């Protein structure tokens, strides 16, 4: 059977996904970068939601069932790039330091990134530049027949930063293993990565749509944090409504 890699520039462009494959959700600036950082710093789990209302409701439901969880649940995320009223944390990776997040459950919603995560099917992994090599290794070790890469985009528009990471993933996978069939967007994003990979990653991210938005909001440090290539050797997996570091039985 031919192995495939398909890149989807937006969640809305995703067609039917095979349950037997792996889906990789990408929101470089910043959801998948921030979630990966939170888990690497000891967060117990992350529960993603599409709306702010769902996030508040989930906290109420958890505390109604388990009052002892009070103080162990944090709300994080953004709307329009900015922190949400009534939430504990925004969407900047450096807010999720170990002293803030260790042992906590994070309920998380963002404008674009959580939609991409929730759209995924099959084995669902989160990728960022922070852990790109770790994600590639997990995919190659499991030898999936299909790899679907879903980019979050921004407000329904393609974003260069997500497609750049998608191209990086495609490049690394195809260099490591021959025989993948690519859709058109996978080929285009791989070529874009190969054209630009010699440039400083932070510079590329700063020029992207998401990078320009963060610069306008004076959140330029988030760009630097997201550009730390392979700073983390962990992979986050979304399963049964929650995101954790990939489990020992994740291939099953």
């Amino acid at each position: 059977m031919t192995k495939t890699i398909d890149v989807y520039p937006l969640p809305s462009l995703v067609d039917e996904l095979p349950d037997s494959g792996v889906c990789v959700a990408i929101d470089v600036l910043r959801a998948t970068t921030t979630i990966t950082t939170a888990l690497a710093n000891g967060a117990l789990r992350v529960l993603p939601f599409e709306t702010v209302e769902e996030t508040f409701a989930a906290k109420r439901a958890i505390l109604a069932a388990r009052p002892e969880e009070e103080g162990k649940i944090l709300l994080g995320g953004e709307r329009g790039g900015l922190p949400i009223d009534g939430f504990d944390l925004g969407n900047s990776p450096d807010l999720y330091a170990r002293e803030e997040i260790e042992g906590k459950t994070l309920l998380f919603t963002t404008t674009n990134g959580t939609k991409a995560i929730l759209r995924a099917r099959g084995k669902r992994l989160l990728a960022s530049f922070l852990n790109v090599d770790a994600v590639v290794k997990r995919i190659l070790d499991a030898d999936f027949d299909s790899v679907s890469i879903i980019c979050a985009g921004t407000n329904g528009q393609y974003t260069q930063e997500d497609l750049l990471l998608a191209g990086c993933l495609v490049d690394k996978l195809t260099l490591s293993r021959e025989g993948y069939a690519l859709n058109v967007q996978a080929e285009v994003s791989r070529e874009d990565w190969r054209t630009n990979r010699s440039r400083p990653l932070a510079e590329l991210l700063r020029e992207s749509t998401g990078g320009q938005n963060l610069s306008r909001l004076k959140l330029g440090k988030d760009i630097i944090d997201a550009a730390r290539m392979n700073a983390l050797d962990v992979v986050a997996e979304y399963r049964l409504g929650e995101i954790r570091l990939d489990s020992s039985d994740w291939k099953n």
Side-chain angles (χ1 to χ4, degrees), residues 22-64:
V22 61
C23 275
V24 182
I26 291 173
D27 185 7
V28 173
L29 299 174
R30 298 161 283 170
T32 56
T33 297
T34 298
I35 291 171
T36 300
T37 299
L39 289 167
N41 283 337
L44 178 64
R45 57 181 181 155
V46 179
L47 278 60
F49 298 95
E50 188 162 335
T51 70
V52 173
E53 293 74 20
E54 289 172 334
T55 312
F56 279 124
K59 180 178 181 179
R60 290 194 296 270
I62 291 171
L63 292 180

Side-chain angles (χ1 to χ4, degrees), residues 188-226:
V188 170
S189 59
R190 180 178 65 175
E191 190 58 34
D192 184 51
W193 168 252
R194 288 177 174 177
T195 299
N196 288 288
R197 62 187 173 188
S198 62
R199 295 179 58 196
L201 182 54
E203 181 179 295
L204 291 171
L205 297 185
R206 197 173 291 113
E207 293 174 357
S208 70
T209 301
Q212 292 178 45
N213 289 340
L214 290 176
S215 294
R216 281 194 293 270
L217 295 171
K218 302 188 185 305
L219 293 170
K221 186 178 183 303
D222 291 359
I223 299 171
I224 302 300
D225 289 341

Side-chain angles (χ1 to χ4, degrees), residues 67-223:
E68 68 275 11
E69 292 293 304
E70 184 70 53
K72 298 180 181 179
I73 298 173
L74 296 176
L75 304 185
E78 55 74 30
R79 282 297 181 273
L82 297 172
I84 300 166
D85 287 346
F87 274 39
D88 303 290
L89 298 166
N91 192 24
S92 295
D94 67 354
L95 297 176
Y96 293 80
R98 185 168 294 275
E99 57 266 25
E100 291 290 338
I101 199 71
E102 187 170 22
K104 305 287 181 62
T105 290
L106 175 63
L107 310 186
F108 197 75
T109 182
T110 66
T111 308
N112 305 291
T114 47
K115 293 178 183 177
I117 295 166
L118 293 169
R119 183 66 183 86
R121 293 292 182 270
K123 292 293 182 184
R124 290 169 278 191
L125 307 180
L126 279 62
S128 66
F129 281 109
L130 297 182
N131 69 332
V132 61
D133 279 357
V135 172
V136 168
K137 184 178 186 302
R138 296 299 190 277
I139 293 171
L140 293 173
D141 285 351
D143 200 26
F144 292 106
D145 289 330
S146 68
V147 181
S148 303
I149 302 173
I150 304 176
C151 301
T154 297
N155 297 324
Q157 301 296 315
Y158 295 11
T159 50
Q160 183 188 14
E161 70 270 17
D162 290 348
L163 289 169
L164 199 65
L165 176 55
C168 179
L169 285 166
V170 175
D171 189 40
K172 288 175 177 289
L173 288 168
T174 54
L175 286 173
S176 298
R177 184 161 298 163
E178 296 181 353
Y180 281 112
L182 311 182
N183 73 348
V184 171
Q185 191 58 64
E187 292 178 346
V188 170
S189 59
R190 180 178 65 175
E191 190 58 34
D192 184 51
W193 168 252
R194 288 177 174 177
T195 299
N196 288 288
R197 62 187 173 188
S198 62
R199 295 179 58 196
L201 182 54
E203 181 179 295
L204 291 171
L205 297 185
R206 197 173 291 113
E207 293 174 357
S208 70
T209 301
Q212 292 178 45
N213 289 340
L214 290 176
S215 294
R216 281 194 293 270
L217 295 171
K218 302 188 185 305
L219 293 170
K221 186 178 183 303
D222 291 359
I223 299 171

